[in-house]
Structure formats: structure tokens, C-alpha cells
Amino acid sequence: MSGRVCYISRTDRGSRIDKIRLVGARTDEQWTAPGAAAPGEDGELFEERPIAQAAEWVRARTLGEKGRTGELGLICLDSEGYAASWITSPSAEARVVSSVASAGVTSEEAGSQVGPGLSFYLPSEREAGVQALAIAVEPTVKGKGGKAELPVAAAALRVPVLAGADAPVRLLIDLLDQNGIVVDGVTSIWHAMAKVWGAAPVRSGGDVVADDSGVTAVVLVDPRGRLLWCWSHDGDLMAGGSLRLAAPTTVGRVPTPGPGDAARIVSDWIAWGAQLGIVPRRVACIAADDPVGVGEESAAYRAGQFGAKLAGAWGGAGVDLVMDSDPIGATMARLAATIADQAPDEQQIRGLEALTKRPGRVQKWMHHWLAIGLAAGAVLFMGAAYKLRASASRLGEAAEAEDQRWRSLVQASYPNLMKLSGDVDIGTELNKLINRYEQERERTKIEPTRPIVQELDTLSRALGDSEIELESITFSSGSSSQVMVIVLVPDIKAAEQVFKSLSSIGGSNIESWSPPQYTNAGTKIKGTFIGKWRNTKLPAATAPAPATRPAAPAQSPAQPKPAPGGAPAASPTSSVTPATPKLQQPPADSPESSALPPRAPKDAPKEKTPSPQPGAGGGR
């Protein structure tokens, strides 16, 4: 970052910029406001013209000939219009501290919540700002056994604050930002003193005068007639204040502190120590050197008396005395050297956060673009909402037209439904009618005709063996359309061969055969085979033509003998068929379940003709 520091000197309680000092590593330039009011003369408060002139002066010395943007390391404010005090706050957060300080609530019973003089320097948030200072903690004390004893946190904190007028500085920062000057940070003279004189031991002639890690008090003489002091802990500002010095009796002499000023400072330090519970252990005094006087009249002699008085009054604390012809310039030079060539997060210089984080041109442009983006988004949403509304209107019209259409259809087909009262749901009534029609159609549904004749011809190929006695073939209809074949065979092996033939026969309409069932029937094995009809209907073109009925013989066939055991013989309508002869196809007009009468082969002797067994009648 830039190593240049802009020191601003103000008058009239900080409402007017008097001088500007631009200090760098090798530069030190000053600007004085033209037409400034003489001491004791009233002028116009918060005049904008000097601020604009100051901004132009800084811009001319910060920007190059061809540069459009510049950088300013720090802006340091003087002590005019600022005061340090303390408040009782539940938190050290910036918003909480600002609220408590702005309220200015005091209570004699509970103790003062706002220190003296703070309300005078903080009339309103528009004219002044408030900044919470660092809260130092006493070093841990070793207890018994070498264990550290931590201090107990209180319910409320005594927070030191720095408040004062900063309206002209805000305007100056805005003007610099408009001119392309980027300000990295804003601090005060007390923060600068704590950083450059309190962070490290004071050196005199290259030797370390004192080295202490506790709280350090820094006293600096302002040539304008003020004695500035602050408490620093590791370079962070804890407390601060200022005292007016007596004007020198000789014209041209710089003001120097005396023994009485030491007593006044000690009085302030006692009050601050009682509030914060911590006191400085080392004092660094930066006094103004005056080469005019000699002996007891010299500035060095008076500064030495002041340091001795201060050390004696403050419990014998060590006082480091540094003499410089320009204490403010020396402080700014050390501050510029500290921030030179360092990033803002590495310099660790605490300052006035409200002014440091003041939004500039970049932030304003970001807000403008954000507002433009939000406006564009709002326009897009309005367009989308308009389209959605138009679509909703069209959908409503289509829904209304569809409602009218189905109502007209219902009125034409079922006028009685439209005459029902408004409590009846037309859709529910239509669903009831549809369910009733579907149930009626299921009840009156005619099952397609199965190709039974064709299937009998196909099964005869597998049942034409002489060892197989056909007992019955049953066809069932309905949802579980099945074919059940019952045969008598000599043994299990023959039964398995029959099941294998039925399962592998070609051209059959039986989709699948269930596992067979075998039972003993005397000296033979009764096999029951159940197959399932195919769901698909056989095309009419592939069905074979029915065979013609053969001519009846001249002599009626002999009646079959009754079976052993007194069982009646099979009637002509029975579905029992002997195993040896081939099956004869019935005529086309025969019913689905037909009986095949037994027929003896031509070459078989009459005495060996098997007696037909009783069988179950076939039926659908």
C-alpha cells in the first residue's frame, strides 16, 4: 500500500479543516486553508469551500500526470473535537457501543454508564462518530502450584470509547473518492501515538532505554498548545486524552509542559485506572525541542522537570524522554514508515472503523448495478407473470369449453342425470353407469368356440397305442379352460411315455400340461393329465373341415358286456373310449363335449375284445 500519511488539523471543535500535512518517506508538504479566521474571530462553521480546496490539493500531489487513480495510505486526524471517555456496555460490539454512547443514560445508583463530557462531543450520529478502543487484560498471575489464575469476567464491561466530530472528514473522503483517490484507512493521533511509540521500546541513540511488555503511557507535546497522552497495549489504543498547555511568555517559543501539567495528567490516569482496572508501567514522553532557551529556560530542562515530576507522582515509573523539534512530524514519519509497502491486513493499525469502511465510488456503483439488476429482474418477473396470467386465462376458457362439451354429451345421452339436484356429482353417477355396463357385459359375454374336434384328432395321435386304454376326455370352459385326459396303462413307464407324447405333440392347442397324477387301478395304473387351453383363438381358416358321418351298418353293434363288479356299461353318450381303436371325428354339428362309442378293430378276435370301463361323462 501507499506509504503516505495525510495529517488533518482542524479548528472549531473539529468542524473546520485548518491545515493538511502530507508526510511520506522522503516528503513533507503542508497546506493551509486560505482566509482562515483569526484566533478569537467567529467564522462560518462547516464551510465546504476549504474542504474542496483541500481535496484538490491532495489530488494534485497524489495523482501522476497521466494517472487517473491514486492511493493514500492513511488519513490521521488531530485531537481537535475529539474526546476519550468510558461507558458501561454489555458488549464491546460497535453497534452496541454506539447505541449506549448515543443514548447517554446515567444512573447514580448503578454508577455512571457514560463518562463525563462524552455527550458534549457526541451530539448526534450525523455530526460525530464513536469508536470503541481496545480492552487490555492484565497478565495472568501465577497461583499456588504454578497454575495460572484467570480473571473473572464481569457481567458488564467498562469500554473505553473515542468520540468526536468527523463530518468535514467524511466530506473530504467523498471528494477524494470522486477524484479517484482511494483511502486505505482513517486513524487518529492517539492511535498513531499508541502504534509508533507504544508498540516497541523507545530507542535513544540506538540503545534500548526500557523494555516492558505491559501497558505503556505515551505523552506527546503538540506545538499548537496541547499535551496529548494515551495508553497503549501491544500497539493498540486503550485510553487517551488531551490537556491545554500554558502559552509561552516569549514570542516564538514552543509550549512546554511543567510540573503542574504532570499533576493534571496523573489525576486523569487515576480516574482511568479506576474504570479500566489497569495502569501503565512505562511512560514515553515526546517533547518539543526549542533551541532558543538555554539552561533552566531551555525546553529540554523543562521537559526533564516534567518527566521527573510525572515519575515521582506515578509511583516511580520509568519515564523515557525523547526530544524532537517537530513531535507531530516525527510521529507521522514513523507511521508512514510503518505502513510503507505493507498490505492493509498486515499493517495492523487500528483506527476509526466508521470512516475507514465508508462506502466509496466502487461500492456506490455496485449498489447502482444491483439496483439495475433488481429492476431488470422485476421487469422479467412482471413479463412472466403477465404470460402466466394469459395462459391461465386461456386454460380457464378451454376448461369451460370442455365442461360445456361433456355436459351437452351427457344431456343428449343421459338426460335424466342432468335433472338431478346440485348435490349429486355427475361424474360419480357416470362412473356408476360405466361399472354397471361393464358388469353386465361380463355376465353376457359369449366365450369363443374352442377347436375341440381338431384337438381330439390331435390327441388321438398320442393315445393310439394298443397298451393305452382311454377312460375319458373332459373339456371345461370359462376362465380356467382345461382338458383332462384319464387313461389306464400297464405300468408307470408307459404312463410317463404318454405324458411325454402329450407334452411334445405338434399342432396342439393345449398351452401347457400340469404334472401328471398316477393312481393304482387294480393291475393297471390310472394316469390323469390336465392341460390348459391357449388364450389366443385359432383362426377359422386353419381349422380342419369336419369329416362326413360314415354310413350306419346294416346290423346294430352288439351291446357291451357289463364290467366286473356289477358296474353298468357305458352308455352311447359316454366319453369313454377304448385304447386300441383310433378315434372317429364326430360331425360338425355335434356339441362341444361328445361321447365316442367304442369300436372294435377288424383284425381283433371277438373273445379278446376289452370290456369298456365306466368313465366320466364329458361336459363343458
Side-chain angles (χ1 to χ4, degrees), residues 57 82 143 153 184 196 201 221 295 317 365 381 408 413 517 547 551 571 589:
W57 183 84
Y82 269 93
D184 295 329
V196 302
V221 177
W365 274 110
F381 279 119
S408 61
S413 303
Q517 300 178 4
S571 62
D589 56 352

Side-chain angles (χ1 to χ4, degrees), residues 12-28:
D12 296 334
R13 287 179 51 194
S15 61
R16 182 185 302 168
I17 295 179
D18 183 25
K19 293 181 181 180
I20 289 181
R21 189 170 181 178
L22 199 59
V23 181
R26 297 180 179 85
T27 59
D28 190 351

Side-chain angles (χ1 to χ4, degrees), residues 364-380:
K364 292 178 182 179
W365 274 110
M366 291 177 59
H367 292 168
H368 292 166
W369 282 111
L370 181 60
I372 293 173
L374 291 177
V379 172
L380 292 178

Side-chain angles (χ1 to χ4, degrees), residues 488-578:
L488 296 174
V489 292
D491 51 16
I492 293 294
K493 182 178 180 180
E496 291 291 342
Q497 187 66 29
V498 172
F499 179 73
K500 182 178 180 181
S501 300
L502 291 176
S503 302
S504 60
I505 190 171
S508 176
N509 292 300
I510 307 302
E511 183 178 10
S512 61
W513 291 90
S514 302
Q517 300 178 4
Y518 305 123
T519 58
N520 292 324
T523 59
K524 294 189 177 183
I525 299 299
K526 179 188 290 187
T528 304
F529 311 100
I530 300 176
K532 184 179 180 181
W533 281 100
R534 295 183 185 273
N535 293 328
T536 58
K537 182 180 178 181
L538 187 66
T542 60
T548 58
R549 182 185 296 272
Q555 184 179 2
S556 60
Q559 297 294 333
K561 295 181 181 181
S571 62
T573 59
S574 174
S575 62
V576 178
T577 308

Side-chain angles (χ1 to χ4, degrees), residues 275-423:
Q275 297 297 327
L276 303 182
I278 193 169
V279 293
R281 302 175 183 178
R282 181 173 61 90
V283 181
C285 181
I286 299 90
D289 194 6
D290 188 0
V292 176
V294 294
E296 296 183 358
E297 297 295 329
S298 63
Y301 179 80
R302 294 183 180 181
Q305 283 187 330
F306 169 78
K309 182 67 175 178
L310 184 61
W314 197 246
V319 178
D320 305 332
L321 181 61
V322 177
M323 302 298 296
D324 195 285
S325 59
D326 186 7
I328 297 296
T331 303
M332 294 299 105
R334 291 171 67 96
L335 183 62
T338 302
I339 67 174
D341 301 329
Q342 290 186 2
D345 55 345
E346 297 177 356
Q347 61 184 352
Q348 298 180 354
I349 297 179
R350 299 183 181 272
L352 306 175
E353 296 182 3
L355 298 178
T356 301
K357 299 179 180 179
R358 185 170 181 80
R361 180 175 52 180
V362 177
Q363 289 79 5
K364 292 178 182 179
W365 274 110
M366 291 177 59
H367 292 168
H368 292 166
W369 282 111
L370 181 60
I372 293 173
L374 291 177
V379 172
L380 292 178
F381 279 119
M382 290 176 61
Y386 177 78
K387 290 185 177 181
L388 289 176
R389 184 175 181 181
S391 301
S393 178
R394 290 194 297 269
L395 290 177
E397 294 175 358
E400 185 177 358
E402 183 66 20
D403 184 74
Q404 294 294 334
R405 188 184 69 82
W406 76 261
R407 286 183 180 275
S408 61
L409 292 176
V410 174
Q411 178 67 28
S413 303
Y414 306 99
N416 294 331
L417 289 180
M418 303 304 295
K419 296 180 181 180
L420 298 176
S421 60
D423 297 338

